[in-house]
């Protein structure tokens, strides 16, 4: 007797898996039985034919009997397969019906909650209903979960160009790989862009399976909305009412029942379905269906829990015309507890769904091309979404903290002026305190910061007088009397926020729970959603395109300021030159509060992008809330993570002028990699000042304190173009006194070209910088200043941990162009040979 195991028959359990049959979708499972039936018929016919040919002569009288035997074999071998085909097909279509029913109920629930009409019946089950909503939600999730980084995996070299909020400076980076390092290529690579957000460049690597989501959004149109259908008429831009919430709950429970029934039948299949599972690849298909069924049950269970907990809040929101400013309490401690429990359930269920779906082969699913594309997009997000969900329910408690459920919360709000650039996005021109109490927003308005800092008889308590900023900023800050308007000193927003809120507490006597900085670029994004704002009192229309110009006009132009004082003479809530800005802010608040729900989501998406670009900056004193901002990369912190090269330019305009928007800044970094894994940088910055007296409010000479931040191991090589503070020569300024002030100790007169190396280039006779603002170096604000010698950075002690810093002033008279050059070496940022 042979010791070898006989070959397993294809019809025995596990036989088809060993045979390696080709893959197919579960929708083809009944059809896949046909080849097996054919095989059974073929076996019976072949057996009878061979038996007849070998045992009986062709004309044997036993021929008829052999035919009867053949027929019996045919019935014995073929009938089980035929029965399996019939019963399995019946089971398959019954199970498919349950799945389609579950999807249809989910689509109906979505329609009840969002007001989207969707499609009914089979079309909804196939995914055509509500596909726009699904795509929008998927885009939002992708953006929320996206981790900043290059669009390739394992690059040979990564360059991170960080951005200062409020700036729109062009950047050109050229990288020359080290010779012989084949992973980086052999020729130079050039990257060029205008920095609107932190941007990664990379050499080498493999494209990511799921690219990083785009950081731009299409500008929405402001055409009138179409008439709502009957199914969505309950919304009219508002949240669903009680009837639609109840209907959505019924649909979710029905979907939950369908998926649970489907899961139970697939977990414990009857005999016919078990036989189908033994067919080629059908077992894999059934396991995929099983995973999908359980994921559907998980998702609907999570939905039932969340909707149940959120219903009281939704009903209160629906019943009030102004959710944030009404009198009814919207969120109560019991709501927080219920939402925490629901989030725990949802987190556990989504974790289970993520684990099950990670094993599913999308190509083997009985889905349409559209459904497969949607599934492929969602699947990679599930692990990140699972990690983001609050398994410990702390996030819900944070929401309660933010909305002032336990006690009122106060957030300092500052509007920043990009025309006078400061470290975290601009000069603080106005401020206000936003208060939430039991989820209600108290009336909010903006005040002139000078009222708090300086104005006697306004709000100032005199704390600012003679005050100096803390180290390490004291070494370069040029002015005395330091207060809130000048507290914006660090480009790292959490650091900056702690500094600002501390100053505000000293000046106002009020401790706040956080800080919100708003750049004009953010307000422009809001206007692109809301549409233009009418200001009837001033006969003005404010749009995203003219906002900044109009605000500057009414704050800086003498004729416009006189108009403000005439039209708003009785308004003493702020200074005369900022009444128009205050009014625009109030009108914009009212417009945002009245937005329909269909426009709230696009606005929220834009705000998230503005947070990541640092045009909108938010800081919370609660560590849990601040950690959430950091988790979604929206805390405004300087990126100090290892693994990337690059730099951040932070500008601080201390000219006492609104000249920044008229100074064109360019950045060019030429990088050479070496075989030791290091990178040599040659950075060139240009500042071209081109403006007139009519355009700029304040002094004409532009004076900017530059800080260039690089990886901590960077080593300075050379630098030029930084103002040393030491007089080089003196030249009379236009029609002012031609006599050189004694404070310059007899500095020689300036030649026609004081800087032969091109650090500063001016039209003939225009090198004189003229008067500078009063400051601690002795300027009285009227004396024409001398030109200084130029050289390397004057400060190389970093004010940020885990960053090197090279810093100093650049001085640019009007109509001139200054060039700052800096070279440094950063080891350990590229692969070694």
């Amino acid at each position: 007797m042979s010791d070898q195991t006989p070959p397993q028959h294809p019809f025995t359990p596990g036989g088809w898996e060993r045979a390696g049959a080709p893959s197919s979708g579960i929708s083809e499972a009944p059809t896949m039985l046909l080849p097996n039936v054919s095989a059974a018929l073929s076996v019976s016919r072949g057996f009878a034919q061979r038996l007849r040919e070998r045992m009986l002569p062709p004309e044997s009288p036993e021929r008829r009997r052999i035919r009867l035997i053949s027929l019996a074999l045919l019935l014995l071998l073929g009938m089980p397969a035929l029965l399996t085909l019939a019963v399995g097909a019946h089971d398959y279509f019954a199970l498919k019906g349950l799945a389609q029913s579950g999807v249809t109920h989910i689509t109906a629930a979505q329609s009840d909650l969002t007001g989207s009409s969707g499609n009914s019946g089979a079309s909804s089950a196939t995914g055509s209903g509500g596909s726009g909503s699904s795509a929008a939600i998927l885009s939002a999730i992708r953006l929320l979960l996206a981790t900043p980084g290059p669009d390739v995996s394992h690059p040979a070299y990564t360059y991170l160009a960080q951005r200062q909020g409020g700036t729109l400076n062009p950047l050109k980076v050229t990288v020359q790989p080290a010779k012989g390092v084949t992973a980086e290529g052999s020729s130079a690579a050039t990257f060029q862009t205008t920095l609107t957000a932190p941007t990664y460049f990379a050499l080498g690597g493999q494209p990511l399976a799921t690219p990083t989501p785009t950081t731009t959004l299409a500008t929405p149109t402001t055409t009138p909305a179409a008439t709502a259908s009957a199914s969505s008429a309950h919304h009219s831009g508002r949240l669903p009412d009680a009837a639609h919430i109840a209907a959505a709950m019924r649909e979710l429970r029905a979907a939950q029942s369908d998926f649970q029934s489907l899961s139970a039948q697939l977990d414990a299949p009857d005999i016919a379905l078990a036989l189908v599972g033994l067919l080629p690849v059908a077992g894999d298909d059934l396991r995929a269906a099983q995973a999908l069924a359980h994921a559907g049950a998980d998702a609907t269970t999570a939905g039932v829990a969340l909707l149940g907990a959120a219903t009281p809040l939704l009903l209160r929101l629906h019943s009030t015309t102004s959710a944030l400013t009404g009198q009814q309490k919207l969120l109560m401690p019991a709501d927080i507890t219920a939402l925490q429990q629901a989030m725990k359930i949802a987190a556990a269920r989504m974790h289970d769904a993520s684990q099950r779906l990670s094993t599913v082969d999308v190509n083997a699913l009985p889905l349409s091309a559209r459904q497969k594309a949607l599934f492929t997009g969602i699947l990679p997000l599930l692990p990140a979404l699972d990690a983001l969900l609050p398994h410990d329910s702390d996030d819900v408690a944070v929401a309660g903290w933010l909305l002032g459920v336990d006690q009122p919360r106060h957030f300092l709000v500052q509007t920043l002026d990009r025309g006078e650039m400061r470290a975290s996005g601009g000069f603080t021109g106005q401020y206000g305190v936003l208060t939430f109490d039991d989820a209600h927003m108290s009336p909010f308005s903006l005040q002139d910061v000078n009222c708090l800092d300086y104005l006697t008889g306004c709000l100032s308590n005199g704390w600012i007088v003679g005050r100096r900023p803390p180290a390490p900023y004291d070494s370069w800050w040029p002015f005395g009397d330091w207060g809130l308007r000048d507290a914006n000193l660090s480009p790292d927003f959490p650091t900056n926020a702690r500094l600002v809120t501390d100053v505000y507490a000293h000046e106002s006597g009020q401790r706040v729970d956080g800080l919100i900085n708003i750049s004009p670029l953010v307000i422009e994004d809001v206007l692109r959603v809301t549409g233009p704002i009418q200001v009837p009192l001033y006969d003005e229309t404010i749009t995203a395109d003219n906002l900044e110009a109009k605000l500057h006009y009414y704050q800086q132009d003498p004729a416009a300021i006189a108009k403000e004082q005439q039209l708003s003479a009785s308004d003493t809530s702020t200074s005369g030159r900022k009444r128009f800005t205050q009014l625009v802010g109030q009108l914009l608040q009212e417009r945002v509060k009245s937005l329909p729900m269909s426009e709230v989501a696009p606005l929220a998406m834009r705000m998230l992008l503005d947070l990541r670009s640092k045009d909108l900056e938010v800081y919370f004193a609660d560590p849990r809330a601040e950690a959430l901002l950091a988790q979604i990369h929206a805390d405004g912190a300087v990126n100090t993570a290892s693994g990337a090269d690059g730099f951040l330019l932070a500008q601080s305009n201390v000219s006492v002028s609104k000249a920044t928007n008229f100074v064109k800044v360019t950045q060019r970094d030429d990088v050479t990699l070496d075989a030791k894994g290091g990178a040599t940088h040659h950075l060139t910055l240009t500042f071209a000042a081109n403006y007139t007296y009519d355009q700029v409010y304040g002094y004409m000479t532009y004076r900017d304190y530059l800080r260039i931040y690089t990886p901590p191991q960077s080593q300075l090589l050379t630098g030029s173009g930084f103002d040393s503070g030491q007089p080089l020569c003196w030249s009379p300024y236009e029609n002012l006194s031609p006599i050189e002030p004694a404070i310059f100790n007899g500095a020689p007169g300036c030649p026609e070209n004081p800087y032969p190396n091109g650090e500063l280039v001016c039209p003939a006779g225009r090198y004189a910088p003229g008067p500078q603002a009063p400051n601690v170096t002795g300027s009285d604000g009227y004396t024409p200043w001398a030109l200084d010698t130029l050289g390397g950075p004057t400060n190389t002690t970093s004010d940020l941990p885990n960053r090197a810093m090279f810093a100093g002033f650049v001085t640019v008279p009007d109509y001139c162009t200054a060039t700052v050059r800096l070279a440094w070496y950063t080891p350990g940022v590229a692969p070694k040979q």
Side-chain angles (χ1 to χ4, degrees):
M1 178 177 285
S2 172
D3 292 333
Q4 295 181 352
T5 302
Q8 192 167 13
H9 194 279
F11 285 123
T12 60
W16 282 106
E17 293 179 358
R18 293 181 177 84
S23 178
S24 176
I26 190 171
S27 61
E28 298 173 354
T31 308
M32 287 300 298
L33 287 170
L34 293 177
N36 297 285
V37 174
S38 176
L41 296 174
S42 177
V43 168
S44 61
R45 284 196 300 267
F47 179 80
Q49 178 67 22
R50 288 192 298 273
L51 187 63
R52 185 191 61 164
E53 291 176 351
R54 296 181 183 182
M55 299 181 64
L56 298 172
E59 298 297 330
S60 169
E62 299 295 329
R63 182 184 181 97
R64 186 179 300 274
R65 186 152 55 102
I66 295 306
R67 285 181 179 176
L68 290 175
I69 292 173
S70 298
L71 180 59
L73 289 172
L74 171 63
L75 292 175
L76 288 172
L77 295 176
M79 188 57 70
L82 290 171
L83 288 173
T84 302
L85 172 63
V87 179
H90 177 272
D91 284 351
Y92 165 74
F93 286 113
L95 296 175
K96 182 179 179 181
L98 279 173
Q100 289 181 330
S101 175
V103 173
T104 302
H105 285 305
I106 290 177
T107 304
Q110 177 189 0
S111 176
D112 286 318
L113 290 175
T114 65
S116 59
S117 59
N119 296 322
S120 60
S123 61
S124 292
T126 57
S128 60
S131 59
S133 300
S134 299
I137 292 171
L138 184 59
S139 296
I141 293 173
R142 282 201 186 107
L143 181 61
L144 186 66
L145 299 180
T147 299
D151 284 336
V152 296
S153 62
H154 303 98
Y157 174 72
T158 301
Y159 188 107
L160 171 57
Q162 300 198 59
R163 173 183 181 258
Q164 180 182 16
T167 61
L168 297 171
N169 297 331
L171 169 68
K172 183 177 182 180
V173 178
T174 301
V175 182
Q176 177 63 59
K179 294 181 179 179
V181 182
T182 56
E184 303 164 12
S186 56
S187 59
T190 299
F191 309 96
Q192 195 163 353
T193 188
T194 295
L195 286 178
T196 59
T199 304
Y200 283 85
F201 308 122
L203 289 182
Q206 298 296 320
L208 296 176
T210 304
T212 302
T214 178
T215 55
T216 58
L217 288 175
T219 301
T221 59
T222 55
T223 55
T227 302
S229 64
S231 64
S232 60
H234 70 280
H235 284 290
S236 300
R238 297 178 63 188
L239 291 168
D241 56 20
H244 285 82
I245 292 173
M249 180 63 82
R250 287 194 298 272
E251 297 290 356
L252 280 175
R253 289 192 184 282
Q256 182 187 37
S257 176
D258 286 335
F259 284 118
Q260 287 176 342
S261 177
L262 181 61
S263 301
Q265 293 188 47
L266 290 173
D267 288 346
D270 60 23
I271 236 164
L273 196 59
L275 286 173
V276 171
L278 300 177
L279 299 176
V281 190
D284 292 338
D285 293 343
L286 286 176
R287 282 186 287 275
Q290 189 178 35
L292 288 172
H294 279 285
D298 284 330
T300 50
T301 300
V304 166
L306 290 173
L307 182 58
T311 293
L313 175 60
L314 292 174
L315 292 178
R316 293 185 207 117
L317 286 169
H318 183 272
S319 64
T320 180
T321 56
S322 184
L324 292 178
T325 58
Q327 298 303 312
Q328 181 187 12
K329 283 191 174 183
L330 296 178
L331 197 61
M332 303 179 187
D335 300 325
I336 298 293
T337 300
L339 286 168
Q340 285 178 317
Q341 294 172 347
M343 289 297 283
K344 283 184 177 180
I345 294 172
R349 290 292 184 167
M350 292 310 296
H351 177 74
D352 182 70
S354 176
Q355 294 293 105
R356 290 181 181 276
L357 293 180
S358 64
T359 63
V360 172
D361 179 9
V362 178
N363 293 321
L365 298 177
L367 303 175
S368 66
R370 178 186 295 180
Q371 290 171 321
K372 286 183 179 180
L374 183 62
F375 191 87
T376 303
I378 292 174
L379 201 57
L381 299 177
L382 288 176
L385 184 60
D386 177 37
L388 189 66
L389 281 171
H391 293 263
D392 58 3
S393 72
D394 237 11
D395 293 5
V396 181
V398 168
W401 180 88
L402 291 173
L403 295 174
V405 174
D406 53 347
Q407 66 181 65
R409 298 295 169 193
H410 309 286
F411 302 99
L412 179 63
V413 178
Q414 297 184 133
T415 57
L416 305 182
D417 185 355
R418 296 191 314 126
E420 194 170 352
M421 182 56 61
R422 292 294 172 87
S424 68
F427 176 80
T428 300
Q430 292 186 297
Y431 77 97
V433 176
L434 182 66
T435 297
F436 288 99
D437 188 2
D438 279 330
H440 292 301
M441 186 177 76
S442 300
F444 171 77
S445 62
L446 294 170
Q447 297 276 352
D448 186 346
V449 72
N450 286 325
C451 180
L452 181 67
D453 278 352
Y454 290 109
L455 299 183
T456 303
C458 193
L459 296 174
S460 178
N461 64 4
W463 181 87
I464 186 177
V465 178
R467 187 74 52 182
R468 295 292 301 164
Y473 316 107
D474 180 68
S475 63
W476 61 268
W477 184 249
F479 309 121
D481 297 344
W482 178 78
L484 183 63
R485 71 176 193 169
D486 293 324
N488 185 348
L489 290 175
S490 176
D492 181 74
F493 187 65
T495 301
N496 190 77
R498 289 187 287 270
L499 184 63
V500 168
T501 54
D502 185 64
V503 170
Y504 179 75
H506 284 292
E507 291 199 67
S508 70
Q510 179 186 20
R511 282 284 171 186
V512 293
D513 298 293
L515 175 65
I516 303 172
N517 276 0
I518 302 174
S519 159
L521 296 176
V522 176
I523 304 175
E524 290 172 9
D525 280 343
V526 174
L527 287 169
R528 290 187 178 96
V529 175
T530 66
I533 298 293
Q534 304 296 327
V535 190
L537 181 63
Y538 288 81
D539 193 27
E540 294 279 10
T541 300
I542 304 300
T543 69
D545 295 325
N546 71 10
L547 168 73
E548 212 163 1
K550 288 293 184 184
L551 295 182
H552 283 157
Y553 171 66
Y554 280 99
Q555 289 183 17
Q556 300 169 15
D557 189 279
I561 295 171
K563 180 180 178 180
E564 285 181 280
Q565 293 172 341
Q566 178 184 3
L567 292 175
S568 306
S570 60
D571 183 0
T572 59
S573 61
T574 190
S575 62
R577 57 185 286 264
K578 295 188 178 179
R579 286 172 184 157
F580 179 79
T581 303
Q582 183 188 63
L583 181 56
V584 170
Q586 292 170 348
L587 293 171
L588 188 61
Q589 283 183 64
E590 295 304 317
R591 178 66 65 84
V592 170
K593 290 175 186 176
S594 64
L595 281 178
M597 292 304 298
S598 59
E599 294 181 14
V600 170
L603 181 59
M605 289 278 285
R606 285 182 176 273
M607 294 304 97
L608 176 58
L609 291 174
D610 287 332
L611 280 168
R612 290 187 171 177
S613 68
K614 300 187 181 183
D615 292 312
L616 174 63
E617 295 167 310
V618 176
Y619 168 79
F620 297 126
D622 187 297
R624 300 169 302 170
E626 186 64 14
L628 280 177
L629 287 176
Q631 188 176 5
I632 62 173
H633 313 286
D635 60 346
V638 172
N639 191 327
T640 61
S642 60
D645 200 7
F647 76 99
L648 164 66
L649 169 65
Q651 301 172 242
S652 292
N653 174 359
V654 292
S655 313
V656 188
S657 71
K658 306 294 183 180
T660 302
N661 289 346
F662 299 96
V663 178
K664 182 179 179 182
V665 180
T666 66
Q667 305 170 98
R668 176 175 175 173
D669 191 11
D670 295 303
V671 185
T672 301
L673 305 180
D674 62 33
K676 297 180 181 179
T680 300
H681 294 256
H682 288 88
L683 177 66
T684 302
L685 306 172
T686 65
F687 301 82
N690 188 9
Y691 44 82
T692 65
Y693 284 105
D694 295 334
Q695 293 174 307
V696 170
Y697 180 84
Y699 289 87
M700 292 299 289
T701 291
Y702 182 71
R703 188 166 169 81
D704 201 341
Y705 189 72
L706 309 179
R707 282 172 284 179
I708 296 92
Y709 296 93
T710 64
Q713 69 270 34
S714 299
Q715 304 156 13
L716 178 65
L717 300 177
T718 61
S720 65
F722 291 93
D723 193 324
S724 70
Q726 302 300 315
L728 170 69
C729 62
W730 188 85
S731 177
Y733 183 76
E734 297 185 357
N735 59 349
L736 297 181
S737 171
I739 300 174
E740 178 181 338
I743 59 173
F744 299 128
N745 297 320
C750 291
E752 183 176 352
N753 182 11
Y755 303 102
N757 294 324
E759 298 97 329
L760 182 67
V761 176
C762 300
R766 297 300 297 262
Y767 275 90
Q772 291 186 13
N775 57 47
V776 295
T777 60
S779 172
D780 57 8
Y782 303 98
T783 300
W785 214 246
L787 285 173
D788 291 338
T789 59
L790 302 178
T794 56
N795 186 358
T796 57
T797 301
S798 181
D799 54 34
L800 284 180
N802 202 30
R803 289 291 95 177
M805 184 186 83
F806 313 119
F809 283 101
V810 61
T811 302
V812 194
D814 52 310
Y815 300 107
C816 300
T817 297
T819 300
V820 173
R821 294 182 175 88
L822 197 65
W824 71 91
Y825 179 72
T826 305
V829 291
K832 299 179 181 179
Q833 283 198 49

